[in-house]
Amino acid sequence: MAPGKEGEMKLAWYLSGSIRRAALVALRSRRKVAVVVSAAAAAAGGLVGLGVSESGAASSGLPSTPLYSLPLALQESLYFYDAQRQGDARSVGEQPLEWRGNSEMSDYCVPLEPLSDNVGVNLSASFISQYSSILDPSNNGCLDLGGGYDDAGDTVVFGLPQSYAASVIGWAMYEFPSAFQATDTWNHAMDVMRWFTNEFLQDTFMSNGSVIAYCYQVGEGSVDHNYWGPSELESQTEYPRDAHCATAEAPASDQVGSAAAALAVMAVLTAKSDRSYSARCLSTAEALYSFGKAYPGIGYSGGFYPSSEYQSKMAWAATWLYIATGNEQYIQDIAGTTSSGAYTGWMSAIVSNTASSWQNTWVMSWDTRWGGVFAVLDPIAQSDPNLPSAVKAQIHYFDEWQICYWAHVPEPNGGTDYVTTSPEGFGVLNSWGSARYNTAAELEALTYRNNFPNDPNSVTFTNWAMGQMNYLMGDNAQNQS
């Protein structure tokens, strides 16, 4: 059950620090912060659930305890998603914030016609004619794509940040369930997740169990940025909202793989509590993944969240599909090799064989997912009898090296090439949205300790993560987040 009036009052009075300022920045400058908050929520949850060691702090000189309320940060991160909900959330009783109303209601009836002047969908007339009974079962000339989430100050439904955010929140719930349970945020997080995954299920159109289309974007950033006001009042006539879908005609395995991962995570999380919903999420995730393999390619972005590749998103999906099913083929899809050690799976996009060297400085993000892939895959790979020892060693190297790079710990290869830091020690990979990368690295560090608690570096990693979170929440020269 979503938080009630008491939670709303807390939001009104306590929505401060990094979460409030991120939201205000989004509304003022149209910056994209959904991906920031997802990683921050995940990292906060991990820090609550895992904790840090006093002995580790004594040896490393790093902070081992939070200076601010991590449970409150986790709660407020989830309120952010309540505030971003699109569609009929108010009418159906899924909007706990009294000041939010229904919005973008025209998305429930996107004109099912070839795209022209930001009206319609990127489907050919022949495709629409062939599959009209599946795309428009009510025969009202529309695609039903309502729901989902606003993207920070925008009202566009962007595919990659949505499915990324869903999978990262779900990853944190999977990795650190006790944190969400102890802070009484599990049900709230599940409400957030279900609003995501309901959208992904609705936007997947299938025939006889096979995907024919997956619609991943509604609206155009270039149009939406001309509107300044509440999403509830945005005129869909003045600011039309078109749609973009992955089809055999217009492949988008980056979008398809990313959505499949989020659905697979949800299938795992609901496997015991809601078996029918879990089964639906899993079957749809499997169908999307198969569709992405059959029709590889990069989807439309309109200049917003352009994808650099699709292989890491498909590998992210395969990782969670393995967790959901135990099907070894998904591991082979990622890390399969020939007898000579040449990679045949998704990893071949980054390394040619088990002797290849690769150092990944870019953490888990809305675009590249390799940081998350190796963080989650590493413990699975180490216990997989079907993987050669050289593959296992390489996966662990990729996982550990990236965290060493961020935490300024000597790397497995002996290197000391570290991420740049601010004068106060905050890790900065990129000046645009630096917190999203930093908190994603924190999540990877927390996951590493969770999976490899006896590794000598694990406590140092999590103490580093705590220090970075403290900085973000106000332990800095300006005393603000």
Side-chain angles (χ1 to χ4, degrees):
M1 183 175 64
K5 187 171 291 293
E6 179 183 357
E8 295 169 23
M9 292 175 65
K10 286 182 178 179
L11 176 67
W13 288 101
Y14 295 119
L15 191 52
S16 57
S18 59
I19 307 305
R20 183 188 65 181
R21 289 183 175 84
L24 289 176
V25 167
L27 293 172
R28 289 170 179 165
S29 66
R30 319 296 277 182
R31 294 190 178 210
K32 316 300 189 285
V33 300
V35 289
V36 179
V37 180
S38 62
L47 287 164
V48 170
L50 189 61
V52 287
S53 166
E54 292 293 344
S55 60
S59 63
S60 66
L62 296 173
S64 65
T65 55
L67 299 180
Y68 304 91
S69 173
L70 291 173
L72 184 59
L74 175 57
Q75 180 191 51
E76 291 180 346
S77 296
L78 296 173
Y79 279 129
F80 170 84
Y81 288 96
D82 294 335
Q84 297 300 104
R85 285 187 187 180
Q86 287 190 2
D88 62 356
R90 168 61 59 204
S91 296
V92 299
E94 294 293 337
Q95 179 50 268
L97 305 179
E98 290 183 347
W99 51 272
R100 276 303 322 268
N102 293 338
S103 63
E104 292 81 45
M105 296 297 287
S106 67
D107 291 1
Y108 290 101
C109 188
V110 176
L112 184 54
E113 59 190 54
L115 182 61
S116 178
D117 294 328
N118 301 125
V119 175
V121 62
N122 68 325
L123 302 176
S124 66
S126 59
F127 186 95
I128 293 172
S129 176
Q130 181 179 357
Y131 295 111
S132 60
S133 62
I134 298 170
L135 299 168
D136 181 20
S138 300
N139 195 30
N140 59 4
C142 297
L143 274 177
D144 180 358
L145 305 178
Y149 288 86
D150 287 336
D151 186 69
D154 303 320
T155 63
V156 181
V157 177
F158 286 114
L160 290 180
Q162 276 211 115
S163 50
Y164 164 82
S167 66
V168 169
I169 293 171
W171 171 17
M173 296 174 71
Y174 169 82
E175 202 76 50
F176 307 104
S178 61
F180 290 85
Q181 292 159 358
T183 56
D184 199 26
T185 54
W186 178 271
N187 289 342
H188 189 179
M190 284 298 291
D191 284 347
V192 171
M193 285 291 295
R194 194 176 286 259
W195 196 259
F196 271 121
T197 51
N198 282 349
E199 174 76 1
F200 303 149
L201 292 170
Q202 171 189 266
D203 295 349
T204 304
F205 298 88
M206 293 195 287
S207 174
N208 298 319
S210 297
V211 173
I212 62 164
Y214 169 68
C215 298
Y216 53 86
Q217 180 170 321
V218 184
E220 290 286 348
S222 57
V223 174
D224 179 81
H225 278 201
N226 293 320
Y227 173 72
W228 192 257
S231 57
E232 290 89 344
L233 302 180
E234 185 173 5
S235 167
Q236 305 312 314
T237 301
E238 187 175 356
Y239 305 98
R241 297 170 66 82
D242 57 16
H244 288 268
C245 307
T247 64
E249 294 178 342
S253 47
D254 54 343
Q255 301 281 354
V256 166
S258 189
L263 287 167
V265 174
M266 189 59 160
V268 172
L269 295 177
T270 56
K272 294 181 180 179
S273 61
D274 191 341
R275 293 184 179 179
S276 62
Y277 189 77
S278 174
R280 186 184 175 200
C281 286
L282 179 57
S283 62
T284 305
E286 291 176 312
L288 285 169
Y289 181 78
S290 296
F291 184 72
K293 288 181 68 177
Y295 302 102
I298 293 175
Y300 173 84
S301 71
F304 298 81
Y305 301 106
S307 186
S308 62
E309 45 76 34
Y310 62 82
Q311 290 88 348
S312 72
K313 288 86 164 177
M314 291 293 288
W316 184 233
T319 300
W320 287 104
L321 283 167
Y322 173 79
I323 293 173
T325 66
N327 185 343
E328 176 67 20
Q329 183 57 52
Y330 291 117
I331 300 298
Q332 294 302 313
D333 281 356
I334 303 169
T337 58
T338 65
S339 58
S340 62
Y343 280 106
T344 59
W346 302 120
M347 283 177 61
S348 64
I350 54 174
V351 284
S352 58
N353 55 61
T354 54
S356 299
S357 177
W358 184 65
Q359 286 83 39
N360 180 28
T361 61
W362 283 90
V363 292
M364 177 69 167
S365 75
W366 61 265
D367 184 11
T368 181
R369 310 291 170 86
W370 289 118
V373 169
F374 294 125
V376 178
L377 181 64
D378 193 359
I380 297 171
Q382 303 315 312
S383 61
D384 189 333
N386 299 299
L387 289 180
S389 58
V391 173
K392 296 180 180 182
Q394 198 167 44
I395 288 174
H396 187 73
Y397 173 84
F398 294 154
D399 182 16
E400 184 180 20
W401 187 94
Q402 184 166 82
I403 307 168
C404 289
Y405 173 80
W406 275 84
H408 286 219
V409 173
E411 294 147 1
N413 62 352
T416 55
D417 177 26
Y418 302 137
V419 69
T420 300
T421 61
S422 71
E424 294 183 67
F426 179 70
V428 179
L429 182 67
N430 188 285
S431 60
W432 179 260
S434 61
R436 63 182 167 194
Y437 303 117
N438 186 288
T439 52
E442 292 175 38
L443 176 58
E444 291 179 21
L446 294 160
T447 299
Y448 187 92
R449 180 176 172 184
N450 206 34
N451 292 326
F452 303 102
N454 297 321
D455 187 302
N457 283 333
S458 66
V459 172
T460 301
F461 288 162
T462 53
N463 285 338
W464 167 82
M466 186 72 265
Q468 298 294 290
M469 183 61 75
N470 282 342
Y471 177 93
L472 282 169
M473 295 182 71
D475 185 20
N476 52 62
Q478 293 183 324
N479 293 316
Q480 62 178 250
S481 60

